[in-house]
Amino acid sequence: AEKASVLGAEDMERVLRRIAVEIVERNKGLERVILLGIQRRGVYLAARLREMMKEAEKVKVPTGELDITLYRDDISVLADQPVVHSTSVPGDITGKKVVLVDDVLFTGRTVRAALDAITDLGRPERVQLAVLVDRGHRELPIAADYVGKTVPTSRAENVEVRVKELDGEDRVVICER
Ligand code: 5GP
Ligand code: MG
């Protein structure tokens, strides 16, 4: 059941524009910057950031994707583990400034898996993290460099991120699981 609306379409547009500006500021431009969207909605968010950067800076930032999903093993006593299924990265990441883009940051395990995959691909100059929503409950020492909105949640809640490309609307809502 839907409990609260966190970001509407205009809010989402505004925070993504702000994140795009912050990425440009912190990297002193977009030279050697690469965006890597984490499936599924992170890929659409990365594409939006790329578009905004193209408008504002007239730079086409190379953009790729990482396909990471949760592997649920019901019989194992181990917690759910994120698994990297595939990577599609534009060129060599060595010496580049990689910005990972995801919709929601929760325990940090997906980002950890992304860092493992990146480490296998090359040696970037730095890796940063941009997320639309930080919902808390970190289980690893991982923080985002760029946050659209910090949304305190209980573990029983789910943050539903809707993007128009997949869901017909841009909106973030908190739902009871
Ligand atoms: P973590 O690995 O940090 O526990 O979870 C982050 C990953 O799981 C992200 O790729 C994100 O898409 C997904 N995720 C975790 N919690 C939520 C949530 O409440 N809502 C949505 N939409 N995705 C979540
Ligand atoms: Mg995800």
Side-chain angles (χ1 to χ4, degrees), residues 38-42 66 68-70 101-104 110:
I38 296 178
Q39 69 65 51
R40 205 165 166 212
R41 284 165 180 79
L66 303 178
I68 304 172
T69 51
L70 224 45
V101 181
D102 208 349
D103 57 350
V104 177
T110 298

PDB file of all heavy atoms in Angstrom, residues 38-42 66 68-70 101-104 110, ligand 2:
ATOM      1  N   ILE A  38      23.396   1.482 -12.859  1.00  0.00           N
ATOM      2  CA  ILE A  38      23.153   0.127 -12.364  1.00  0.00           C
ATOM      3  C   ILE A  38      21.711  -0.249 -12.703  1.00  0.00           C
ATOM      4  O   ILE A  38      20.776   0.494 -12.407  1.00  0.00           O
ATOM      5  CB  ILE A  38      23.412   0.043 -10.838  1.00  0.00           C
ATOM      6  CG1 ILE A  38      24.894   0.336 -10.563  1.00  0.00           C
ATOM      7  CG2 ILE A  38      23.023  -1.344 -10.304  1.00  0.00           C
ATOM      8  CD1 ILE A  38      25.286   0.343  -9.101  1.00  0.00           C
ATOM      9  N   GLN A  39      21.586  -1.394 -13.378  1.00  0.00           N
ATOM     10  CA  GLN A  39      20.264  -1.853 -13.813  1.00  0.00           C
ATOM     11  C   GLN A  39      19.228  -1.689 -12.718  1.00  0.00           C
ATOM     12  O   GLN A  39      19.564  -1.828 -11.567  1.00  0.00           O
ATOM     13  CB  GLN A  39      20.336  -3.307 -14.199  1.00  0.00           C
ATOM     14  CG  GLN A  39      20.561  -4.231 -12.990  1.00  0.00           C
ATOM     15  CD  GLN A  39      19.429  -4.261 -11.981  1.00  0.00           C
ATOM     16  OE1 GLN A  39      18.283  -4.461 -12.340  1.00  0.00           O
ATOM     17  NE2 GLN A  39      19.711  -4.025 -10.709  1.00  0.00           N
ATOM     18  N   ARG A  40      18.003  -1.548 -12.801  1.00  0.00           N
ATOM     19  CA  ARG A  40      17.458  -1.249 -14.076  1.00  0.00           C
ATOM     20  C   ARG A  40      17.220   0.245 -14.178  1.00  0.00           C
ATOM     21  O   ARG A  40      17.548   0.874 -15.155  1.00  0.00           O
ATOM     22  CB  ARG A  40      16.119  -2.000 -14.108  1.00  0.00           C
ATOM     23  CG  ARG A  40      15.677  -2.321 -15.412  1.00  0.00           C
ATOM     24  CD  ARG A  40      14.611  -3.325 -15.525  1.00  0.00           C
ATOM     25  NE  ARG A  40      14.168  -3.160 -16.887  1.00  0.00           N
ATOM     26  CZ  ARG A  40      12.933  -3.349 -17.273  1.00  0.00           C
ATOM     27  NH1 ARG A  40      12.024  -3.707 -16.414  1.00  0.00           N
ATOM     28  NH2 ARG A  40      12.610  -3.168 -18.510  1.00  0.00           N
ATOM     29  N   ARG A  41      16.701   0.793 -13.089  1.00  0.00           N
ATOM     30  CA  ARG A  41      16.347   2.205 -13.146  1.00  0.00           C
ATOM     31  C   ARG A  41      17.557   3.133 -13.094  1.00  0.00           C
ATOM     32  O   ARG A  41      17.483   4.255 -13.577  1.00  0.00           O
ATOM     33  CB  ARG A  41      15.309   2.535 -12.083  1.00  0.00           C
ATOM     34  CG  ARG A  41      13.943   2.021 -12.534  1.00  0.00           C
ATOM     35  CD  ARG A  41      12.915   1.951 -11.458  1.00  0.00           C
ATOM     36  NE  ARG A  41      11.659   1.445 -11.991  1.00  0.00           N
ATOM     37  CZ  ARG A  41      11.412   0.154 -12.228  1.00  0.00           C
ATOM     38  NH1 ARG A  41      12.323  -0.755 -11.987  1.00  0.00           N
ATOM     39  NH2 ARG A  41      10.256  -0.224 -12.729  1.00  0.00           N
ATOM     40  N   GLY A  42      18.663   2.644 -12.538  1.00  0.00           N
ATOM     41  CA  GLY A  42      19.881   3.451 -12.532  1.00  0.00           C
ATOM     42  C   GLY A  42      20.353   3.775 -13.945  1.00  0.00           C
ATOM     43  O   GLY A  42      20.946   4.829 -14.196  1.00  0.00           O
ATOM     44  N   LEU A  66      25.903  -1.495 -15.630  1.00  0.00           N
ATOM     45  CA  LEU A  66      26.239  -2.713 -14.906  1.00  0.00           C
ATOM     46  C   LEU A  66      24.925  -3.413 -14.566  1.00  0.00           C
ATOM     47  O   LEU A  66      24.006  -2.783 -14.049  1.00  0.00           O
ATOM     48  CB  LEU A  66      26.970  -2.400 -13.598  1.00  0.00           C
ATOM     49  CG  LEU A  66      28.265  -1.585 -13.687  1.00  0.00           C
ATOM     50  CD1 LEU A  66      28.808  -1.330 -12.283  1.00  0.00           C
ATOM     51  CD2 LEU A  66      29.307  -2.326 -14.521  1.00  0.00           C
ATOM     52  N   ILE A  68      23.372  -5.723 -12.176  1.00  0.00           N
ATOM     53  CA  ILE A  68      23.580  -6.357 -10.867  1.00  0.00           C
ATOM     54  C   ILE A  68      22.218  -6.604 -10.246  1.00  0.00           C
ATOM     55  O   ILE A  68      21.430  -5.685 -10.095  1.00  0.00           O
ATOM     56  CB  ILE A  68      24.379  -5.440  -9.916  1.00  0.00           C
ATOM     57  CG1 ILE A  68      25.714  -5.041 -10.552  1.00  0.00           C
ATOM     58  CG2 ILE A  68      24.614  -6.121  -8.567  1.00  0.00           C
ATOM     59  CD1 ILE A  68      26.474  -3.987  -9.762  1.00  0.00           C
ATOM     60  N   THR A  69      21.930  -7.858  -9.922  1.00  0.00           N
ATOM     61  CA  THR A  69      20.656  -8.118  -9.243  1.00  0.00           C
ATOM     62  C   THR A  69      20.903  -8.996  -8.032  1.00  0.00           C
ATOM     63  O   THR A  69      21.951  -9.628  -7.892  1.00  0.00           O
ATOM     64  CB  THR A  69      19.639  -8.818 -10.165  1.00  0.00           C
ATOM     65  OG1 THR A  69      20.266  -9.959 -10.742  1.00  0.00           O
ATOM     66  CG2 THR A  69      19.174  -7.894 -11.263  1.00  0.00           C
ATOM     67  N   LEU A  70      19.901  -9.037  -7.197  1.00  0.00           N
ATOM     68  CA  LEU A  70      20.001  -9.825  -5.978  1.00  0.00           C
ATOM     69  C   LEU A  70      19.796 -11.298  -6.292  1.00  0.00           C
ATOM     70  O   LEU A  70      18.875 -11.678  -7.007  1.00  0.00           O
ATOM     71  CB  LEU A  70      18.912  -9.337  -5.014  1.00  0.00           C
ATOM     72  CG  LEU A  70      19.320  -9.138  -3.577  1.00  0.00           C
ATOM     73  CD1 LEU A  70      20.647  -8.407  -3.464  1.00  0.00           C
ATOM     74  CD2 LEU A  70      18.241  -8.362  -2.863  1.00  0.00           C
ATOM     75  N   VAL A 101      25.686   5.179 -10.895  1.00  0.00           N
ATOM     76  CA  VAL A 101      24.370   5.799 -10.722  1.00  0.00           C
ATOM     77  C   VAL A 101      23.347   4.712 -10.389  1.00  0.00           C
ATOM     78  O   VAL A 101      23.218   3.730 -11.126  1.00  0.00           O
ATOM     79  CB  VAL A 101      23.924   6.534 -12.009  1.00  0.00           C
ATOM     80  CG1 VAL A 101      22.565   7.204 -11.796  1.00  0.00           C
ATOM     81  CG2 VAL A 101      24.977   7.553 -12.449  1.00  0.00           C
ATOM     82  N   ASP A 102      22.660   4.877  -9.259  1.00  0.00           N
ATOM     83  CA  ASP A 102      21.618   3.907  -8.904  1.00  0.00           C
ATOM     84  C   ASP A 102      20.391   4.636  -8.379  1.00  0.00           C
ATOM     85  O   ASP A 102      20.467   5.812  -8.022  1.00  0.00           O
ATOM     86  CB  ASP A 102      22.147   2.903  -7.869  1.00  0.00           C
ATOM     87  CG  ASP A 102      21.445   1.544  -7.969  1.00  0.00           C
ATOM     88  OD1 ASP A 102      20.428   1.437  -8.686  1.00  0.00           O
ATOM     89  OD2 ASP A 102      21.917   0.590  -7.333  1.00  0.00           O
ATOM     90  N   ASP A 103      19.264   3.941  -8.362  1.00  0.00           N
ATOM     91  CA  ASP A 103      18.035   4.597  -7.893  1.00  0.00           C
ATOM     92  C   ASP A 103      17.987   4.677  -6.371  1.00  0.00           C
ATOM     93  O   ASP A 103      17.701   5.737  -5.821  1.00  0.00           O
ATOM     94  CB  ASP A 103      16.783   3.917  -8.478  1.00  0.00           C
ATOM     95  CG  ASP A 103      16.672   2.432  -8.167  1.00  0.00           C
ATOM     96  OD1 ASP A 103      17.649   1.844  -7.650  1.00  0.00           O
ATOM     97  OD2 ASP A 103      15.604   1.849  -8.452  1.00  0.00           O
ATOM     98  N   VAL A 104      18.276   3.574  -5.699  1.00  0.00           N
ATOM     99  CA  VAL A 104      18.154   3.537  -4.241  1.00  0.00           C
ATOM    100  C   VAL A 104      19.416   2.939  -3.619  1.00  0.00           C
ATOM    101  O   VAL A 104      19.921   1.929  -4.105  1.00  0.00           O
ATOM    102  CB  VAL A 104      16.935   2.685  -3.803  1.00  0.00           C
ATOM    103  CG1 VAL A 104      16.849   2.571  -2.279  1.00  0.00           C
ATOM    104  CG2 VAL A 104      15.635   3.284  -4.347  1.00  0.00           C
ATOM    105  N   THR A 110      25.034  -3.826  -3.164  1.00  0.00           N
ATOM    106  CA  THR A 110      25.063  -3.716  -4.633  1.00  0.00           C
ATOM    107  C   THR A 110      26.259  -2.876  -5.072  1.00  0.00           C
ATOM    108  O   THR A 110      26.963  -3.227  -6.029  1.00  0.00           O
ATOM    109  CB  THR A 110      23.745  -3.085  -5.142  1.00  0.00           C
ATOM    110  OG1 THR A 110      22.673  -3.958  -4.784  1.00  0.00           O
ATOM    111  CG2 THR A 110      23.766  -2.881  -6.644  1.00  0.00           C
TER     112      THR A 110
HETATM  113 MG    MG B   2      18.645  -1.985  -8.422  1.00  0.00          MG
END
